[in-house]
Each structure stands twice: as structure tokens, then as C-alpha cells.
Amino acid sequence: MKRNVENAARLSVAPMMDWTDRHCRYLHRLLSRESLLYTEMVTAPALVRGGAVHLLDFSPEEHPVALQLGGSDPAELAAAARLGAEAGYDEINLNVGCPSDRVQSGTFGAVLMKQPELVAECCSAMRAAVDVEVTVKCRIGVDDQEPREVLPAFLETVAAAGVGRFAIHARKAWLQGLSPKENRDIPPLDYPLVQEMKAAFPQLHLSVNGGIASLAQARAFLDAELDGVMIGRAAYHQPWDVLGTADAAIFGQADGLAGPDAAVRAMLPYIEAHLGAGGRLHQITRHMLGLFAGRPGARQWRRVLSEGASQKGAGPELVLRALAEVEGVAAAG
């Protein structure tokens, strides 16, 4: 069932390559019924030229869920957006933040910060193709750009194409000299600039992204008048801590599960269905390794799953054995 995506964007889980696949999103949805979830980036050429529509598969339980696209050709992005909307996604997001500057299809990601008019053209074409909202995830600038000059001009240009919601990673991206991984840590964060953009563009829905590690930090940004907070690695590595109590802390709704152990048990029918369809256990459990982060038994939980989930025939009984290890440590403590 589709929900109010703008309200869900008060707290979202960032699109992360190799991480936020459909199994990860299913787990995250169990933890938080309210937060907005994003796919990994899917390139428009893969969908339109490559016919890789299987990349759009998701479970109905994941709503509200957004598809993130990568690309820079307006017609191709419009066609990809149409496929995403037809598949049932609640939002189509354009990646203007990935620090890899080229793929086979050409320019995409953060390098588009240098071409706001092209981004606006792409968004306009996507908006014309679909009924769901088109949004943008961007950086504050790239390379030697001055963010205080570049970011407001970028927002103004793209907003003029009808985009009303942006997620801003509060770091520059260095397209030469830093790897994508280094680009997530080394350029300094500039949260005040994002807050200044909210003051300058009060009509826009702005989410801040980058380095946010806790619900308390997210709550502070919302209290400071930002419209939303997008959390990446912390939501993945400590999913219970970030999402397990988010519905109450961020949305004023009752939390759905009593603890990470309840989340494990709630995943078992999904795991059984995946295995029944020919899937492998580790495809799901690799996203569950951080469920007990910071709690007694976390090391044993990770060890049992890491060692056993890739073995042929591994199934729900391994997950239950890992959970028993956690409960045994907790009982002994």
C-alpha cells in the first residue's frame, strides 16, 4: 500500500550500492513502518537498453519505497522513470551525488553538479513521464567548486524544473584523487550550509545526508527546521538502533517490534519463501549481521551467520541457532 512519501522522507535510508537491495529493504521495513526506503542506484541504460527490468523487483511490503536512477540522457531517464512508476515505486530519484564520474552510458552522478541545466532538463523529462514525485539526491559541490555559490544556484535551477524535494549529502565530492569510499569520509561535512539552504528556499523539502549516526542526531536536525534526515551506513550497520525505534522517535507512531530478536523471528517466513524460490540464505542474512550491534552476543551472532549462511543447504535453523547464541550470552550475563 502506498503512503505519504513526503512525510516518510522525515527519515529515509540512503541508497547504497551493494547494500540496499530488496532483502535489505524488507528487513528495514520490518524495523520501521514509516521511514522512506531507497533502492540501490539503477542506471537508466541498464533498464532501457539492457532490458534489466528484474532490477526493479521489490516486495509490496516495502512501501513507501523510492527508485534511484543514474544517468544523464533526458529521454532515457524518462523511459526508465516510466518503467519504475509502472513497477509501483512511490518516488523516482535522480542520483547527482555518486562520485564515480563515468559509466558506459556516459556522465552521471556527482559530476552533474557542474551541469545544473542538464539536471533540470532530465528532471523535467522524468516528471513529464510519470505521475509519482521526481526528486534529486546531490552533493554540495564537486572539486574546486565553491559550495556557497554552487549549491543555491543548483537548487534554484533544478527547482524551476518542478523538483520540490532534495536530499543533500553535506560533503563535496572530489572526482579525481579520491575513491568513492574516500568520498564518503574525507571531504569535510558542512551541515550549516544545508540549513542555510532551507532558510533560503523555504518552499523546498530538504533532507540532510552524510555522517549522521543516530536517531538523536536526526531528531536534532528536524528540530532545527530541516524537513528530513537521510541516514546511510549507520542504518545498515546498526539497523535496530536507527530504525527499531524510529517510528516513535521521528513519526510519533507506535514502534512495531519489541527488539532485534523479534525482528529475527519476523524475518523467518521471508527467508523460507526466498529459499523455496531457489535463493541462498546469505543473500538475506548478510544484511542482518548488525541487528545486535553493541549488545551482548553480537559477536556470536555475526560469527554463526558469517560462517554458515553461505554453506549449501543453510536455512532458517542456522538463523535460530545464531539467535540462541545471542540469548545464551544474554542469559549468562
Side-chain angles (χ1 to χ4, degrees):
M1 177 180 172
K2 296 185 180 183
R3 302 190 188 180
N4 182 332
V5 183
E6 185 168 301
N7 183 64
R10 284 174 59 77
L11 181 70
S12 59
V13 179
M16 292 175 283
M17 292 300 293
D18 300 321
W19 288 3
T20 52
D21 65 16
R22 60 180 304 183
H23 306 309
C24 174
R25 298 193 306 268
Y26 189 91
L27 169 66
H28 288 177
R29 177 58 67 222
L30 279 178
L31 301 178
S32 170
R33 292 169 296 184
E34 305 295 332
S35 303
L36 178 58
L37 305 179
Y38 282 82
T39 68
E40 305 169 87
M41 183 187 66
V42 179
T43 66
L47 294 176
V48 178
R49 288 187 242 156
V53 290
H54 66 278
L55 297 173
L56 299 178
D57 291 346
F58 70 100
S59 302
E61 293 87 351
E62 292 174 38
H63 289 296
V65 58
L67 169 66
Q68 187 184 65
L69 293 176
S72 59
D73 179 88
E76 198 163 56
L77 280 166
R82 193 177 298 112
L83 290 170
E86 289 170 354
Y89 284 95
D90 301 299
E91 170 193 328
I92 309 295
N93 177 267
L94 179 62
N95 183 320
V96 191
C98 176
S100 299
D101 64 344
R102 294 196 68 79
V103 289
Q104 188 173 357
S105 65
T107 303
F108 83 108
V111 71
L112 289 173
M113 292 297 298
K114 297 180 177 181
Q115 300 181 67
E117 294 82 5
L118 177 57
V119 175
E121 187 181 348
C122 290
C123 290
S124 182
M126 294 161 71
R127 291 186 71 245
V130 300
D131 292 329
V132 298
E133 189 172 6
V134 173
T135 67
V136 168
K137 184 174 188 289
C138 65
R139 293 274 183 150
I140 59 173
V142 295
D143 297 338
D144 293 320
Q145 288 182 330
E146 172 45 58
R148 275 181 164 68
E149 298 171 3
V150 168
L151 185 57
F154 177 88
L155 293 176
E156 184 174 9
T157 300
V158 179
V163 176
R165 185 148 52 87
F166 296 79
I168 304 173
H169 187 154
R171 283 188 176 95
K172 265 190 183 185
W174 287 96
L175 303 179
Q176 304 294 328
L178 291 183
S179 69
K181 182 178 185 297
E182 290 170 328
N183 263 297
R184 293 193 294 267
D185 292 303
I186 292 176
L189 287 157
D190 192 348
Y191 296 137
L193 177 59
V194 180
Q195 292 170 300
E196 289 169 26
M197 293 304 98
K198 180 58 190 176
F201 298 95
Q203 77 280 13
L204 297 180
H205 185 291
L206 300 184
S207 292
V208 63
N209 169 238
I212 300 162
S214 69
L215 275 184
Q217 196 178 1
R219 182 76 252 177
F221 280 118
L222 294 172
D223 290 344
E225 305 303 322
L226 280 169
D227 301 296
V229 178
M230 177 180 276
I231 302 183
R233 284 168 290 170
Y236 188 85
H237 291 304
Q238 302 147 46
W240 177 261
D241 290 339
V242 171
L243 296 172
T245 57
D247 290 355
I250 303 297
F251 298 95
Q253 303 293 322
D255 291 320
L257 296 169
D261 55 333
V264 173
R265 290 190 168 89
M267 283 295 291
L268 293 175
Y270 181 82
I271 289 171
E272 288 171 355
H274 177 66
L275 296 177
R280 301 290 296 274
L281 181 63
H282 72 90
Q283 293 171 318
I284 296 176
T285 56
R286 71 187 185 97
H287 303 302
M288 299 171 64
L289 295 178
L291 267 175
F292 295 93
R295 290 169 172 75
R299 185 170 56 82
Q300 290 86 340
W301 166 259
R302 291 193 305 270
R303 177 180 54 76
V304 172
L305 290 183
S306 297
E307 291 177 358
S310 296
Q311 301 298 317
K312 188 175 180 179
E317 67 286 344
L318 181 77
V319 179
L320 289 171
R321 179 155 64 84
L323 182 59
E325 293 259 354
V326 175
E327 292 169 339
V329 171

